[in-house]
Structure formats: structure tokens, C-alpha cells
Amino acid sequence: MKSTVEQLAKIGIFTSLNQTELEGLQEHTAIRSYRQGEVVMYEGDRIPEKLYTLLSGSLRVAKTAAAGKETILRTLFQGDIFAAPALLGNGIAPATVTAETDVEVLTTEREVLLAAIRENPEIALRILAVFNQRLQQLHETVHGLVSERAIVRLARFIHYFAVAQGTKLADNSVCLEKRFPYYQIARSIGITYEECVRLFKKLKPFVSYSRGGKIIILDWEKLEDVASGDEIE
């Protein structure tokens, strides 16, 4: 199934294109649906030369070490592009991408995209901006794993998703929109499941965690203090 022009227009890197340019791209797109838990691509797979964009739902991007330990690199949400090597590299998937929810993935043929870039170089600038941001996030993650305490990484994880994905009111409390099981948080910040449980107990005065991955922020200011490296009293 091809995308609609309206769907393409909502993708950040294509916002500078006019109706005619969007219609030209549309003919060379495809949408594929994946069910929750289904793998979109495995680390090491050779992937077609296309631009991959998440249209709906969320995806988990993870790498597996030689010893078998999985590390979650990031979570992708609506509008995010991914699988950069398919577009600009060696065509080998650098990580395993799994559907966290039911998702729709849009692909755009590489040659058609490059032709669009030649006509509108701003597309390339937007793509580079996305990849540059990813590199900065990766640098911060690696730096944090080496030099920061685990509780600081946990507080930053909660703070990041509260800001990036938003919060909602639940039972008169500020709750993260997205739910995170212990194992996912642990694999995202480089700690064990058991340590994750223990650290949430230390954050209990200002962060509440309940079954199903529901996270409630009880004291936003204190959470920011810990994310900045302040000691818990």
C-alpha cells in the first residue's frame, strides 16, 4: 500500500516540499504494518536501499553483545526515521528493530529520494540534523555509562521521556504517557533488572512506579535535581 500525500506532508524532513513534489515521492513509497512484538529488521540483516520512517506506534532499537546481553539504544516514535545504513551506508542493519506496539512503517525508494534532494537540498539538511542529534544522544549515553551513577541515568531517563513524549493527569498525579517495564529501563541505562527495582525504591519520595510500567512524577523539581547529579538526601 502506498502512502498518501497527507501522510508524507506530516513527516518532518518533507515539510518543505510542495504538493507536486510530494505527489512525485508518493508513487515510490510503501507502507507495511507490523504487530506488537514483530521484528522489523534484525541486526546484521541486509536491508533494501530505502528511507525508513515510522508512521504510527513505537519501535525499540537494540543491540545484542557477543555474550547475549541486549542493550536498548533508543525508542522510536511517530515521524522518526531509522536504518540510516540503508540510505547512506553499507546496507547492513546496525541493530534489531522490534515493534513495541502495532506499527506502520513507511519506506521511500532511495533513488527517488536522492532525486528529490537534488531539487530541494533542505531535505538533506533535515536528515543530517536528525542523524547529528542521534550521534549526540549516543555520545551522552556512552559518557553516562562510563562516568555517571546509575541513579542519575535513571532520573534522566524518566525526565527525558516525560519531556519528549509528554505526561497526563491520572488520579490527580502527573503520569508519563508511555509505560516502561523494569527490564526495558534496565537495558536502556545499562543496569540489571534487580538494580533497577532497587533504584526506584530510592526515588520513591518523588517518583512512583506501579505494575505495568506506570511512572508517576510526585516532585518534578527533585527529579530534575537528581538528573543533574545532586545527591539524594
Side-chain angles (χ1 to χ4, degrees):
M1 178 175 70
K2 290 183 173 62
S3 72
T4 65
V5 169
E6 290 72 23
Q7 286 173 317
L8 286 175
K10 291 179 181 178
I11 297 172
I13 63 172
F14 295 145
T15 54
S16 61
L17 300 185
N18 60 39
Q19 182 76 11
T20 301
E21 291 169 327
L22 289 171
E23 289 173 353
L25 277 180
Q26 179 198 8
E27 291 302 312
H28 302 276
T29 62
I31 296 176
R32 179 173 173 181
S33 299
Y34 296 86
R35 302 299 298 272
Q36 182 178 13
E38 191 174 355
V39 174
V40 177
M41 60 184 65
Y42 285 97
E43 180 178 352
D45 278 355
R46 180 164 290 280
I47 45 182
E49 294 183 337
K50 299 177 181 182
L51 173 72
Y52 291 78
T53 308
L54 180 58
L55 280 185
S56 65
S58 62
L59 294 169
R60 181 177 71 251
V61 182
K63 288 185 71 70
T64 303
K69 180 182 178 182
E70 181 188 62
T71 298
I72 298 174
L73 301 179
R74 66 177 61 89
T75 302
L76 301 173
F77 298 98
Q78 182 178 347
D80 284 340
I81 60 176
F82 61 100
L87 186 65
L88 303 170
N90 60 6
I92 303 298
T96 297
V97 180
T98 307
E100 288 193 330
T101 63
D102 291 349
V103 303
E104 288 185 319
V105 174
L106 167 72
T107 56
T108 308
E109 297 291 339
R110 180 178 184 272
E111 291 306 316
V112 176
L113 178 64
L114 292 180
I117 289 173
R118 285 192 287 270
E119 295 295 324
N120 195 324
E122 189 173 341
I123 299 174
L125 294 177
R126 291 178 184 270
I127 293 174
L128 288 173
V130 171
F131 293 154
N132 180 62
Q133 183 184 42
R134 298 265 176 87
L135 285 173
Q136 290 178 339
Q137 290 174 344
L138 180 60
H139 172 77
E140 290 171 2
T141 298
V142 173
H143 179 268
L145 289 173
V146 172
S147 61
E148 292 174 347
R149 291 172 298 128
I151 197 164
V152 174
R153 302 201 300 272
L154 175 57
R156 285 188 175 178
F157 179 93
I158 297 169
H159 185 274
Y160 171 79
F161 279 100
V163 173
Q165 294 301 312
T167 57
K168 60 185 177 182
L169 283 177
D171 300 325
N172 296 319
S173 299
V174 178
C175 177
L176 265 66
E177 284 280 0
K178 183 172 172 57
R179 296 191 173 213
F180 292 97
Y182 282 131
Y183 85 89
Q184 183 174 352
I185 298 173
R187 292 176 184 177
S188 297
I189 63 175
I191 61 176
T192 64
Y193 178 98
E194 292 75 16
E195 187 175 8
C196 188
V197 174
R198 180 178 61 81
L199 289 176
F200 264 105
K201 291 179 179 178
K202 292 188 69 174
L203 293 178
K204 197 170 183 179
F206 42 95
V207 174
S208 170
Y209 183 97
S210 56
R211 180 175 296 181
K214 181 179 179 181
I215 299 175
I216 295 175
I217 301 173
L218 305 173
D219 188 330
W220 185 268
E221 184 175 347
K222 188 60 178 177
L223 176 66
E224 290 184 327
D225 287 343
V226 178
S228 298
D230 289 354
E231 295 285 345
I232 296 180
E233 298 177 358

